[in-house]
Amino acid sequence: MIRVGRKTWEDIVIDVVIYLSLIFLVVVTLYPFLNTLAVSFNDAMDSSRGGITLWPRKFTLYNYQTLLTRSQIYHATLVSAARTILSTCLGTFCTAMVAYIISRKEFVFRRLVSFIYVLTMYIDGGLVPTYFLMRSLGLVNSFWVYVVPGLVSAFNLIVIRTYIAGLSDSYVESARIDGAGEFTIFLRIILPLCKPVLATIALFIAVDNWNAWFDTFLYNSANAQLSTLQYELMKVLQSANTMSGSLLQALSRAAAGTTNTVTPRAIRATMTIIVSVPIVVVYPFLQRYFVHGLTLGGIKE
Amino acid sequence: MTTSASAVQRKTFWHRVKQQKVLILMTIPFLVHVIIFRYVPIWGWLMAFQNYWPGKSILQQTWVGFENFRLLFNDPVFYQVLRNTLAMSVIKLVMGTVASIVLALMLNEVRIMWFKKSVQTISYLPHFISWVVAANLVRDALSTDGGIINEVLMSLRIIKEPIMFLGIPTLFWWIIGISHVWKEVGWGAIIYLAAIAAIDPTLYESAMIDGAGRLKQIWYITLPSIRPTISVLLIMNLGWVLSAGFEQQYLLQNGRVIDYARVFTIYELDYGIKMMRYSFATAVGIFRSVVSLILVFSANQLAKRWGQERLV
């Protein structure tokens, strides 16, 4: 909007309202994170007296020490990291390959293959049939249930396909004249040209995988070796009121007898920080890719 | 079409298949993958018409016809679930849309670029954290011992005693709505900001010559210009009203509010899987999936009739 001349009273009032509202939004968004951060670095018994806002009152690293020395948490972090890295690499590559295939205008089964994928956005078999399928494929109590089923998502596929459709055909044509095969064209020409959109998709997949807990809950809750960080946090959250969670009990027992103590609140705060730190740290640098991807996929969600 | 013409077409079809055999070979593993993981479970829908008992194969089960659906439609809890799902979907849709549009309009008025950028960056952040983390933050903010909401309300002398917000059944839908806005408002605003950026600036110039102030410009130019975007997004989301989200409700619910928190996936878990009523749970899944599909395609038709871009 273009504005010329002096500010009227209307302008001033509007500006004040807008700036105040936006500052309010920033405060409301950040406060819960900062408060949790403060609680995680504060002495647990002291926190339960209340009144912790943005800064720890009795600074301690004890909450982190207690949690990070639990092999359960350490192991869950490894599993979460492994699934995120594997899913991101494999998922991005496979989605790009299918996107390349269905972006080729002369491909005979182009519409059929696109339709088969797009339909998956609207129907799913439901919890029970999917669970039975995973079980008969041997994916229950298996690490691979985190990676294999979600390899190609229809939404990401459409985003990459839209991007490839916007590239000039001449790249593919000239490569074909030079005698390049389909796979070479994909690997050597399409993939490098798609770098911006692939970065976006990789980030979407990575965030989804890091944040997932329901698949652990459904398929791998019987096997502690395959637990993920989000699932551990979810268990702590669910048992916070009753103190029945095994981790909470174990931690309270471990803390009993020492001068230091942890409380459910402190454990939850500390775990929340451990779980969100990777995203909060990585996020500002990658923000432009996220936004880029949303406008790329546009309304064609 | 004459027979000779279709014969020619068939010939070119096989010719093209042969020519494109590498592309087709590249497709096969992915097709097998998507069919196994996304379409084979639909074969499992047969279970809904059986009295499924683990240990036997799906074709050896007792067939019961529509018995499971009869049970479902006679279950009062089902109507409760339907009510909760629809209510929370509509609350989230309306609150989310209004908040995102208002935020986009406000950001568009900000002239200090670093301020605009910082607000945007901060407002997207909650979109990328998991609901597990968000539910923890919501729970802490609403807690009775030192939760910020109670503290603020008490220091403003609006309430005397801390209120256990998450224990009040009638508040649950609104907590879901507000926490949805908290998490998604910034992300939702992106698409409206993009639509606003595409508006022809000469419209504002002529409005200003006509003496329209900023509020009038927003009301008569900005809002009408982004109306197509708003209606497409609304229609599109209407198709998803039966999937009101699950993680959010599951993670924030507790025994006291469960009658208002139970949505379809929770129903499938608690009344199906946990009670080993696998066939019943499958029937619930089918109901949800089929109604969603109908809604999505009607929404799509509606969008088409309104001359908007097709969504599917």
Side-chain angles (χ1 to χ4, degrees):
Chain A
M1 213 178 291
I2 302 117
R3 234 175 294 146
V4 276
R6 284 179 35 226
K7 283 195 168 187
T8 61
W9 272 108
E10 187 195 339
D11 285 336
I12 294 167
V13 172
I14 292 175
D15 277 337
V16 169
V17 170
I18 286 176
Y19 282 93
L20 286 181
S21 312
L22 291 178
I23 289 168
F24 176 75
L25 175 77
V26 168
V27 170
V28 166
T29 307
L30 288 183
Y31 179 82
F33 289 102
L34 297 175
N35 177 245
T36 308
L37 190 64
V39 170
S40 77
F41 280 111
N42 197 51
D43 179 73
M45 287 317 281
D46 182 62
S47 297
S48 51
R49 278 172 42 220
I52 304 291
T53 50
L54 294 174
W55 206 249
R57 189 165 47 205
K58 232 172 127 184
F59 183 85
T60 177
L61 288 173
Y62 184 73
N63 298 326
Y64 285 92
Q65 274 168 8
T66 319
L67 268 178
L68 290 174
T69 49
R70 303 294 300 183
S71 61
Q72 216 173 336
I73 302 298
Y74 178 71
H75 200 266
T77 313
L78 288 185
V79 174
S80 282
R83 75 169 284 181
T84 304
I85 293 167
L86 255 176
S87 297
T88 308
C89 297
L90 287 174
T92 313
F93 183 80
C94 291
T95 314
M97 192 147 146
V98 181
Y100 165 66
I101 295 168
I102 60 171
S103 69
R104 293 286 303 275
K105 290 188 189 68
E106 74 277 15
F107 180 46
V108 271
F109 299 118
R110 181 181 187 216
R111 297 191 65 139
L112 178 73
V113 176
S114 306
F115 182 76
I116 289 176
Y117 274 102
V118 169
L119 199 60
T120 63
M121 292 205 288
Y122 302 103
I123 47 170
D124 70 290
L127 286 181
V128 177
T130 310
Y131 181 86
F132 284 169
L133 172 76
M134 297 301 175
R135 204 181 49 187
S136 54
L137 291 174
L139 287 173
V140 170
N141 286 325
S142 150
F143 174 78
W144 296 105
V145 79
Y146 298 139
V147 181
V148 177
L151 215 47
V152 179
S153 105
F155 176 74
N156 294 340
L157 186 64
I158 290 171
V159 173
I160 304 181
R161 188 190 65 181
T162 313
Y163 189 88
I164 297 179
L167 299 173
S168 161
D169 284 339
S170 58
Y171 295 113
V172 176
E173 290 308 320
S174 55
R176 179 141 329 123
I177 292 165
D178 292 345
E182 295 294 347
F183 202 71
T184 319
I185 295 176
F186 168 67
L187 224 52
R188 294 276 164 78
I189 294 168
I190 298 296
L191 274 190
L193 285 173
C194 287
K195 248 184 218 153
V197 72
L198 293 184
T200 310
I201 295 302
L203 290 164
F204 280 147
I205 300 178
V207 169
D208 278 352
N209 271 278
W210 181 260
N211 282 345
W213 60 273
F214 194 52
D215 44 14
T216 316
F217 172 74
L218 271 186
Y219 304 119
N220 289 342
S221 51
N223 189 341
Q225 291 295 302
L226 295 169
S227 192
T228 51
L229 208 47
Q230 300 280 352
Y231 182 59
E232 290 300 321
L233 177 62
M234 179 269 186
K235 283 197 290 190
V236 172
L237 172 70
Q238 292 300 78
S239 58
N241 293 334
T242 54
M243 276 292 279
S244 66
S246 56
L247 180 67
L248 277 179
Q249 268 175 350
L251 285 171
S252 314
R253 239 181 285 126
T258 64
T259 47
N260 283 313
T261 324
V262 286
T263 59
R265 171 96 199 281
I267 295 170
R268 276 197 300 132
T270 313
M271 267 197 92
T272 304
I273 297 302
I274 295 175
V275 167
S276 17
V277 150
I279 294 210
V280 175
V281 167
V282 161
Y283 162 78
F285 303 101
L286 305 173
Q287 195 216 135
R288 66 194 179 98
Y289 288 115
F290 284 130
V291 178
H292 189 51
L294 192 83
T295 33
L296 270 180
I299 296 172
K300 268 192 125 8
E301 197 172 317
Chain B
M1 200 184 286
T2 62
T3 40
S4 64
S6 72
V8 168
Q9 209 174 39
R10 211 176 312 136
K11 207 170 162 189
T12 53
F13 176 77
W14 286 114
H15 183 69
R16 282 167 76 194
V17 166
K18 244 170 128 179
Q19 207 178 27
Q20 297 173 1
K21 59 178 184 293
V22 182
L23 273 182
I24 293 169
L25 277 176
M26 275 163 83
T27 324
I28 288 171
F30 295 108
L31 273 187
V32 171
H33 174 267
V34 71
I35 286 169
I36 288 180
F37 285 103
R38 302 310 299 268
Y39 288 93
V40 169
I42 295 166
W43 163 251
W45 281 8
L46 285 178
M47 280 167 57
F49 305 96
Q50 301 171 328
N51 187 6
Y52 186 87
W53 205 245
K56 285 192 282 187
S57 92
I58 196 158
L59 295 172
Q60 294 169 323
Q61 306 282 340
T62 346
W63 293 87
V64 294
F66 284 90
E67 177 62 18
N68 286 308
F69 288 93
R70 201 188 57 77
L71 280 175
L72 176 66
F73 294 131
N74 282 325
D75 185 358
V77 180
F78 167 74
Y79 294 97
Q80 193 191 60
V81 169
L82 197 59
R83 176 201 67 183
N84 295 342
T85 308
L86 291 175
M88 281 185 265
S89 288
V90 171
I91 288 174
K92 280 165 71 170
L93 186 56
V94 172
M95 288 175 79
T97 307
V98 171
S100 295
I101 293 171
V102 170
L103 177 60
L105 291 175
M106 285 183 168
L107 283 171
N108 189 51
E109 296 291 318
V110 172
R111 286 291 159 275
I112 308 169
M113 284 322 279
W114 66 264
F115 183 75
K116 186 176 171 178
K117 281 255 141 57
S118 320
V119 172
Q120 276 186 285
T121 305
I122 290 165
S123 70
Y124 307 148
L125 176 65
H127 173 79
F128 294 103
I129 58 155
S130 65
W131 262 116
V132 183
V133 169
N136 261 308
L137 299 180
V138 171
R139 209 167 264 244
D140 281 340
L142 295 175
S143 93
T144 43
D145 45 60
I148 181 74
I149 306 280
N150 273 315
E151 295 285 305
V152 167
L153 289 177
M154 269 159 51
S155 66
L156 292 174
R157 307 241 181 276
I158 296 172
I159 54 170
K160 281 209 180 70
E161 300 263 283
I163 298 176
M164 207 170 136
F165 292 103
L166 277 167
I168 301 170
T170 45
L171 273 186
F172 189 79
W173 293 349
W174 302 102
I175 292 173
I176 292 290
I178 293 166
S179 55
H180 168 77
V181 169
W182 178 79
K183 195 168 181 296
E184 303 296 336
V185 64
W187 187 247
I190 295 176
I191 207 149
Y192 296 110
L193 271 174
I196 292 173
I199 299 173
D200 181 3
T202 54
L203 287 175
Y204 293 111
E205 281 166 31
S206 43
M208 259 189 326
I209 293 166
D210 292 344
R214 280 162 78 189
L215 278 181
K216 280 202 165 147
Q217 291 180 28
I218 292 174
W219 188 255
Y220 290 107
I221 298 172
T222 315
L223 276 177
S225 305
I226 61 170
R227 205 172 58 193
T229 313
I230 299 173
S231 56
V232 167
L233 288 174
L234 271 180
I235 292 169
M236 198 167 74
N237 286 319
L238 273 183
W240 300 114
V241 288
L242 278 200
S243 30
F246 148 73
E247 291 188 31
Q248 196 185 357
Q249 285 88 349
Y250 188 82
L251 296 168
L252 285 173
Q253 48 103 0
N254 55 63
R256 271 181 227 181
V257 295
I258 187 67
D259 286 347
Y260 285 81
R262 200 179 279 119
V263 288
F264 275 103
T265 311
I266 299 180
Y267 185 51
E268 272 178 86
L269 278 173
D270 288 352
Y271 282 70
I273 295 170
K274 278 185 191 161
M275 296 183 177
M276 308 239 301
R277 293 159 79 199
Y278 298 116
S279 291
F280 184 74
T282 310
V284 179
I286 293 177
F287 174 81
R288 185 171 49 87
S289 222
V290 168
V291 176
S292 291
L293 199 64
I294 293 170
L295 284 171
V296 167
F297 277 97
S298 347
N300 197 33
Q301 288 302 314
L302 205 68
K304 215 160 71 178
R305 189 169 309 162
W306 286 13
Q308 310 295 354
E309 198 177 358
R310 279 202 324 147
L311 310 165
V312 180

